[in-house]
Amino acid sequence: MSTSQPIAHRHDILILFEVTNGNPNGDPDSGNQPRVDALSQRGLVSDVCLKRKIRNYVELFPPTANGKIHKILVRQGAVLNREQEKAVEATKDPEAAEKEKGKAKVKSDGDHARRVKDWLCHEFFDVRTFGAVISTGSEVMKGSAYGQIRGPAQFSFGQSFDPISPQEITITRCAVTKEEDAAKERTMGQKYIVPYGLYAARCYVSPAFAENTGFDQADFDLLVEALSHLFEHDRSAARGDMVVRGLLDFEHVGTQAESNAEQNRREAKLGCAHAHELFESVSVDLKDKDKTRPPQSFTDYTVKVDGWDREGRSTRFPGVVLHRRVDPERNPST
């Protein structure tokens, strides 16, 4: 297994993305219409949807070998309990198994459960990144404290800055599905689109939980890479044109001098500012203040990152560095 160290710095990440003439996240309880907040009519994209894009990217573009494996546990067609049984078999203690021969079957000890958890974290990128519930199959994991893995990277729902206006579009198909409909010239169908919406989502990366799963700097770099290309390899007719317009990574690095390295490590792990204060330094406003027409493109917005210089430093947050992974202010049309 890899001997690399878990990440030591906290990260708070703001993701700005847009959709044009597409459905960013359909709601199966509403006929796959775009998710909408009932009170504000602002569009929603679930955290599960965002993590699916990351899983898909890593599965398509796994990194070169770095001592870890980057398989994906939660994928289409996977049987989760089968993967758990593989982990149980791979981590059996031969001596303990020999002693158990001929005895009544009993629940395994906690040490075996820990080894199963570590094996799954090593094998699967999404387990060591997002965590997983692994107490659903083997008796080894049922009731174990290791049966629920809390991952270091957690997402909020994405939400649009302004109300969206979902539209139902009727489509036609010249082919038919059933033999008895062969005489028909065409069949009809429907799809739902959002003409335009600019959304924001947040990702929180905790080094405290990274220690539990072994999530290291290489894993974090892969997560950022996937976020930067979130929709580039997820195109479909249903999702229209989706673009990441901003990816702002607030890294907590500490405020202490080199002579006080231990205290600085604690600050970087704990965090040097509240996440909401960091996110509030980014303002997204419509240029049309009177809102006489709904936004139709990213150029209808002004995005400002207040109080941060181009090197990512701020006098208000001295222990935090801002990495503009995708710079929302660098928009030539504004």
Side-chain angles (χ1 to χ4, degrees):
M1 291 190 176
S2 173
T3 57
S4 58
Q5 295 299 310
I7 59 167
H9 295 180
R10 200 183 98 190
H11 293 261
D12 299 306
I13 304 173
L14 180 66
I15 312 146
L16 303 178
F17 61 93
E18 67 180 357
V19 59
T20 304
N21 294 328
N23 185 350
N25 184 202
D27 185 350
D29 288 332
S30 299
N32 208 44
Q33 296 184 55
R35 295 183 189 272
V36 178
D37 175 61
L39 294 178
S40 65
Q41 295 303 301
R42 293 161 69 183
L44 298 174
V45 173
S46 71
D47 57 326
V48 175
C49 174
L50 296 172
K51 289 189 285 189
R52 178 76 269 154
K53 312 302 182 190
I54 295 168
R55 287 183 168 102
N56 290 347
Y57 180 86
V58 174
E59 196 167 23
L60 285 171
F61 301 102
T64 55
N66 59 2
K68 284 191 176 181
I69 302 174
H70 296 83
K71 293 190 295 185
I72 298 299
L73 177 66
V74 182
R75 65 192 188 280
Q76 187 170 0
V79 180
L80 302 184
N81 285 354
R82 185 186 301 160
E83 298 294 343
Q84 292 174 31
E85 287 298 336
K86 289 180 183 178
V88 170
E89 289 298 317
T91 56
K92 274 185 177 179
D93 181 350
E95 293 183 4
E98 188 66 27
K99 292 177 182 178
E100 289 299 317
K101 282 185 177 180
K103 295 183 179 180
K105 188 175 181 181
V106 295
K107 188 171 291 188
S108 181
D109 60 79
D111 191 54
H112 189 187
R114 177 189 55 77
R115 294 196 303 272
V116 171
K117 184 267 295 183
D118 290 343
W119 190 92
L120 289 169
C121 288
H122 178 262
E123 292 284 312
F124 296 101
F125 173 81
D126 55 337
V127 175
R128 64 177 177 269
T129 303
F130 307 131
V133 176
I134 59 172
S135 58
T136 58
S138 171
E139 291 296 325
V140 173
M141 304 307 297
K142 287 182 178 178
S144 169
Y146 298 105
Q148 295 188 21
I149 304 172
R150 189 163 182 181
Q154 300 298 331
F155 284 80
S156 72
F157 266 50
Q159 187 173 48
S160 66
F161 288 94
D162 292 282
I164 61 171
S165 301
Q167 296 181 9
E168 182 178 3
I169 306 295
T170 300
I171 57 177
T172 61
R173 184 176 64 174
C174 63
V176 297
T177 304
K178 297 180 290 186
E179 186 68 32
E180 55 266 31
D181 293 333
K184 295 181 180 179
E185 291 187 4
R186 61 178 61 88
T187 54
M188 311 292 286
Q190 287 80 33
K191 65 187 297 185
Y192 297 94
I193 65 168
V194 176
Y196 183 78
L198 179 63
Y199 292 70
R202 297 166 177 82
C203 175
Y204 306 91
V205 183
S206 166
F209 294 119
E211 293 176 357
N212 183 47
T213 67
F215 182 85
D216 61 15
Q217 186 62 45
D219 291 324
F220 177 79
D221 293 341
L222 181 57
L223 173 65
V224 170
E225 178 185 321
L227 287 171
S228 301
H229 300 85
L230 203 57
F231 309 108
E232 297 297 327
H233 300 278
D234 189 60
R235 307 293 184 189
S236 75
R239 279 184 283 280
D241 193 12
M242 297 190 67
V243 179
V244 175
R245 286 294 188 174
L247 186 61
L248 301 173
D249 171 17
F250 297 92
E251 180 183 10
H252 300 253
V253 298
T255 62
Q256 303 299 310
E258 292 184 9
S259 58
N260 198 2
E262 185 60 35
Q263 179 62 24
N264 198 75
R265 279 193 293 270
R266 185 179 187 278
E267 283 190 5
K269 181 178 178 180
L270 177 65
C272 302
H274 293 295
H276 71 275
E277 293 179 334
L278 299 173
F279 294 143
E280 286 170 358
S281 67
V282 182
S283 61
V284 180
D285 297 300
L286 275 174
K287 294 176 181 177
D288 180 9
K289 299 295 184 181
D290 296 329
K291 297 186 178 182
T292 55
R293 66 181 182 86
Q296 297 175 305
S297 72
F298 187 64
T299 57
D300 290 337
Y301 286 93
T302 299
V303 181
K304 291 183 179 179
V305 185
D306 298 318
W308 300 86
D309 61 27
R310 296 309 300 182
E311 283 68 47
R313 294 290 184 173
S314 168
T315 56
R316 183 183 174 193
F317 305 110
V320 182
V321 175
L322 169 60
H323 304 282
R324 302 171 192 248
R325 310 290 186 178
V326 178
D327 191 350
E329 292 185 298
R330 197 165 289 172
N331 179 25
S333 301
T334 56

